[in-house]
Structures are given as C-alpha cells and as structure tokens.
Amino acid sequence: MDATTRYRPFIYDVFLSFIREDTHRGFTFYLYKALNDRGIYTFFYDQELPRETEVTPGLYKAILASRVAIIVLSENYAFSSFCLDELVTILHCEREVIPVFHNVDPSDVRHQKGSYGEAMAKHQKRFKAKKLQKWRMALKQVANLCGYHFKDGGSYEYMLIGRIVKQVSRMFGLASLHVADYPVGLESQVTEVMKLLDVGSDDVVHIIGIHGMGGLGKTTLAMAVYNFIAPHFDESCFLQNVREESNKHGLKHLQSVLLSKLLGEKDITLTSWQEGASMIQHRLRLKKILLILDDVDKREQLKAIVGKPDWFGPGSRVIITTRDKHLLKYHEVERTYEVNVLNHDDAFQLLTWNAFKREKIDPSYKDVLNRVVTYASGLPLALEVIGSNLYGKTVAEWESALETYKRIPSNEILKILEVSFDALEEEQKNVFLDIACCFKGYKWTEVYDIFRALYSNCKMHHIGVLVEKSLLLKVSWRDNVEMHDLIQDMGRDIERQRSPEEPGKCKRLWSPKDIIQVLKHNTGTSKLEIICLDSSISDKEETVEWNENAFMKMENLKILIIRNGKFSKGPNYFPEGLRVLEWHRYPSNCLPSNFDPINLVICKLPDSSITSLEFHGSSKKLGHLTVLKFDKCKFLTQIPDVSDLPNLRELSFEAYEFSASQLDLS
C-alpha cells in the first residue's frame, strides 16, 4: 500500500466481500468480529440480496471508502453476478486485496473450473460476452494474488482468522509506533539493543533493560526496536507510561490492557493484581510475545506484569525502560543497555533539524547553535524543546533566549527531569540537593568528608541510589562529582522555589548574587544550613562590603564554604552548630571570640590572614575534628594542641602535609 493510498480520508478499514449462503453465519461473521475487536473498522453488508442484483451506489461508495478489501471466495461465490460485479469494482478501484479461498482451490478460481466453471457456464446463457470477459479477468486476477487457503480438515478457522487479522493490523501500521520526527543517532542504539535481544533464538525468553536519565530518548529507542521486530512475534504490546498509568489507574488496569491486547479479548475484568499476574502467567505461557514496559519506576509493576521469564512462551522478548537501574538488578535483568547523551555532532544535527526543519543552515547561526549544544549537554529532550521553541527566530532572539535558559531553565525540560527527583525518599532528596546546589565538581573524597560532617550518620549509601536513578553519573572516588548540567539546573530550581524572592529563607545558598545579598543586608534566617560560594563574584575582583553580624540569624548554619571572594572584614559571630568551616583568604587574624567549636568537623582556612588559631576553652572541644588545614597562611604562628584529638585524620599547614599516622597524638 503506497503512502498516497494509505492517507486518503477513508471511512472503513476493511470491506468484506462474500456470499451469504456459504460463510455468512460462520467464517465471515467471525472474521468480521475479530477485525472489529482489534479496532479495525470493517464494512459488513448483512442484508440478503438476490444473486443478480447489481452493485448499488451505496455499496460502490463503501468500496471507495475502504482501505482494504478481503474477498472470501467460497464455493458459490461465482454463482452471484452481484459478487462478481463487486469483485470487478474492487479491483478497478485499485484497493489492497486479500483473497481467502474458503474450501475452493485457487486454480479452480484462476481457470474457472469446478463450481466456478459451472457458474460461468450458467452466466454465459444470460449475460453478454463483454461482461463475462470482465468477470473471467477479475477471477484470474484475484486468484493470482497472495492470499489464504482454507480447507475443511486442514486446519482450524480461528487460526486462519488470527493470521488475517494480524496481517491487516500490520498493513495499517497498528503495530507501528511513531518514533521521532528526526531520529538522529538512533540507528546505532537500535543495533546495540538488537544484539541483546537476539531475536533469532526462539528457544529462550529474554528480558532486556534500557536505562538512563530522563530526556535521553529511552522510549524513542524502545519504539524503534518495537517497530523493527514486532512482525517476528505472535502478538505484541507496547505499554507506555507505566509509572503514570499505574499511579492513575492501578496495576489491574495495566494488566487488563496487556491481556486484552495480547489475547484479542475485550472487557477483561480483574478483582486484584494477583489475579492479573496469575492470568498473564497462564494465558501467555505458550505465546511468543513482544512486550515493552515503558517508564517503570516500582518493583511492584514488574512483579505484577513480568514476574518471571517462564510467564511467556519460548522466543518471547520483554523490554523494560526505566530511570532506575536498581529495579533491573532487583528483577534479575542481566541484559541491559544504558542510553547516553548525544555526541556534539549528533546533538548539533538534532538541534538544527528541530530549529530549521532542514540540515543546511545560515552560517550566521552556527556560533549560537554550538553554544546551545554546549548548554544542552547532549540531552535530546533539551535540544528538541529549545530547537522547536526557537524555530523561525533571528540570531539575536537565539542569543537572548539562551541567556534566559541559563538563568531560568525551561519548565518543559525540568518537568520531565523532576520525575526522578520525586521518586526519591526524603533523605535521598536532601543528599541530591546538597550535591546539585553546592558540591558538583568537588572531589568525592571532599564530599565524603562533608557528608560525614553534615549528617549525624553517613549518607554515602544514598549516592549509589542517585547513580542508579540516573541523577548522578558513575562514581569513581578518585574523580570529581559528575552530574548532567540540566539535572543540576533542575535541583537548583527546586531549591530556589522554596523562597524565590527571599533567598535567605532557603536551606542552601550557592549563587554569588544571593549570598552577597544575604550577607550585605543581613537577611539570613534559621532555615539556612549551607552556604557555598565556589564561583566568582564578578569578572573584576572587588572587595565585598558586608554586615559582619550576618551569621547571627543563621543559628542552624552547618556548612560555610567560601572559596572565592575578597571580603572587607571578618565576622563577629559564627553559629555554634557550624560543622564545616572553609574560608579561603579569611579576612581576619582570628576567629570570632564567641565561637564554640564543639561541633566543628572540618576546618580549612587556606591563604588567610589568620595569625593564631585559638578556640576559647579546652582543646577537647575539638574532639570531632577530622580535617584541619592552614595552607599558605603566611602569618600563622599558633595553633591549638592537637595531640589529644582522637578523630584528627589530616593536618596541613604552609607547604607541608602530615597524615594522622605521622603525628604524635598521644
């Protein structure tokens, strides 16, 4: 069927041509029902007509309005001049035709032998030679088409009906899914997944996992694979948006949809998901099926729908897409494929197609397009959203939009990415926000120390959860903390929304502008727990004038890290609960007189003006201290007695470093 024919405004999917007296109450009726049950709208003329009736204008219109004709050539079909005229009309309209030879031999139809010879001999007495010639040509033409042959005792009618329905479904693309307008970089990914599927092995069942962060195109990849291999299976089903659908309608609904699709039955009612699991296991165990579970986020979903491989017949394949790699591990899915970001060339191509709907562009756009590609960091979702939003815009408008995206990320992008965050437990959310807002790019060893200081018990096991849920990139303790830029933007946006107008009421501050505003105007509150100034305040280093009493309102401040910025003076006050103090170029020669370091775990004051480090009271107050650093402190002359600090692991000053094992701490 060519594209022109396929997309005409048809009314019917199928036109059924048959003679009532042979198959009306049996084969043809059941074929009609099976087609309609599959959602294939079928014209079925149920009125009894004399054999000599001509094709009426209404029936002619029905033929014209149908995309496919199925002609049931039974024993008495040719005795009806009406059926023969109908056949001529169908062939003249150049419809896609599927002949079904029901208890007749195709050669008898082709050469008009047997009952077809008798019928034509009878017609010869009543009709003109011209009409007879048209009928003979039509019978010969339809007999030469590829079709189906049914003979009593040879097979079961229901099996033949199933094959016909399946063919029609494929012809209409009912088994095909729209993949992408611009499938850039998809071909190589499909190839890799196909290797894992090993479709040619019909003696085993394979369950495949496709995982990665939101917006990478996991669903798109699964759709492309589905379209490619669906014809190799008895039945196929793509369950999209499993997370959303199960939240809205429950697992029973998903199970009913699956069973209806794969069994061809309507109105499957389940009393519990356990009943649904049992029905899937028993009714599908002999079927070779293809099943896609898209966007799975809970173990219960897998347990209810794909409990074990033996739930499905040999040769079956199940593909699971998820953001959570741990779900695949838990379900013992060994064959997995991780979807990664696009390389620069593919990202540039995808952006170009979405923004201009063509491959070649005006060279004046090249620079800004490259900067958008850098901003999107290879995320297809971002490239598609930004490209489509800026379609038809000038270079100046692109420039302006890019600056806006950097300050305020697109809600359309953030909404997709936030799904992974919403699935976290509360403690996991806190660890994620700490990293996204403040610690991306830090050494993992530093983050480990900070988390030990920040939380009463170490939360490092949550890091593994963030990696499995595709919110963090793989962890190597020798490297820096890596997170996709737009995932970081998403986390920072979540934190910023706590108090968009008054940053001092947020839990975490990282923006130089917000930090300076809070310190200058003394607008901090007890909600603040982390201040991390780790980027330049301005292009030109200027001395920051601030309120030295700004920390007095921040009674719950636990982490204060200032790595950039030249401050005019030192603080008058530090909160007692401070656990991490890191201040490069600390602007005073001593710490505030009020500061009680009882909770201090990490203290780093490199390149500072400090001359002596004295904590008022006994040095035993430093019992939690693990890291003490004074690198490049030219004026430092005195530090506390550290010989009785049981937890001190690292002490560093000037150009020398000592490990705990090299110090006499007895």
Side-chain angles (χ1 to χ4, degrees), residues 430 433-434 437-438 495 498 506-510 528 530:
N430 280 323
L433 292 175
D434 291 342
C437 294
C438 302
E495 179 65 29
R498 295 176 187 264
C506 290
K507 185 176 181 179
R508 304 164 180 87
L509 285 183
W510 66 91
L528 258 173
I530 303 176

Side-chain angles (χ1 to χ4, degrees), residues 518-530:
V518 168
L519 295 181
K520 185 178 288 188
H521 300 291
N522 196 11
T523 54
T525 69
S526 60
K527 293 181 179 180
L528 258 173
E529 294 185 14
I530 303 176

Side-chain angles (χ1 to χ4, degrees), residues 411-573:
N411 284 332
E412 190 175 351
I413 298 171
L414 295 182
K415 185 177 179 182
I416 298 296
L417 299 180
E418 282 180 21
V419 170
S420 298
F421 175 81
D422 294 337
L424 299 175
E425 297 177 0
E426 198 60 34
E427 285 188 349
Q428 295 163 358
K429 288 181 178 179
N430 280 323
V431 170
F432 168 75
L433 292 175
D434 291 342
I435 294 174
C437 294
C438 302
F439 305 131
K440 179 191 170 187
Y442 277 43
K443 291 285 187 182
W444 271 112
T445 50
E446 289 184 291
V447 174
Y448 179 77
D449 287 338
I450 291 170
F451 279 176
R452 288 190 63 177
L454 182 59
Y455 299 107
S456 56
N457 60 324
C458 183
K459 303 298 181 187
M460 294 307 289
H461 68 279
H462 291 322
I463 298 298
V465 174
L466 299 181
V467 172
E468 288 172 339
K469 291 187 180 293
S470 305
L471 289 168
L472 273 179
L473 301 181
K474 293 177 181 178
V475 173
S476 172
W477 298 111
R478 295 171 294 180
D479 298 329
N480 295 340
V481 177
E482 294 185 58
M483 175 183 286
H484 192 281
D485 291 344
L486 292 177
I487 290 287
Q488 180 186 39
D489 287 348
M490 178 265 290
R492 289 182 166 185
D493 185 71
I494 289 171
E495 179 65 29
R496 192 180 290 112
Q497 293 308 314
R498 295 176 187 264
S499 181
E501 302 300 327
E502 298 180 69
K505 292 183 179 180
C506 290
K507 185 176 181 179
R508 304 164 180 87
L509 285 183
W510 66 91
S511 164
K513 179 181 176 182
D514 291 342
I515 292 172
I516 299 306
Q517 176 186 324
V518 168
L519 295 181
K520 185 178 288 188
H521 300 291
N522 196 11
T523 54
T525 69
S526 60
K527 293 181 179 180
L528 258 173
E529 294 185 14
I530 303 176
I531 293 178
C532 185
L533 181 57
D534 196 16
S535 57
S536 298
I537 294 173
S538 63
D539 294 335
K540 294 182 179 180
E541 187 174 52
E542 300 175 355
T543 300
V544 177
E545 298 290 340
W546 66 294
N547 189 323
E548 62 267 37
N549 296 314
F551 295 115
M552 294 188 71
K553 295 180 180 180
M554 306 178 199
E555 57 192 60
N556 290 312
L557 187 68
K558 296 179 176 63
I559 294 181
L560 175 61
I561 297 176
I562 298 178
R563 291 185 172 180
N564 280 285
K566 184 179 178 182
F567 287 79
S568 60
K569 52 200 167 189
N572 291 336
Y573 175 90

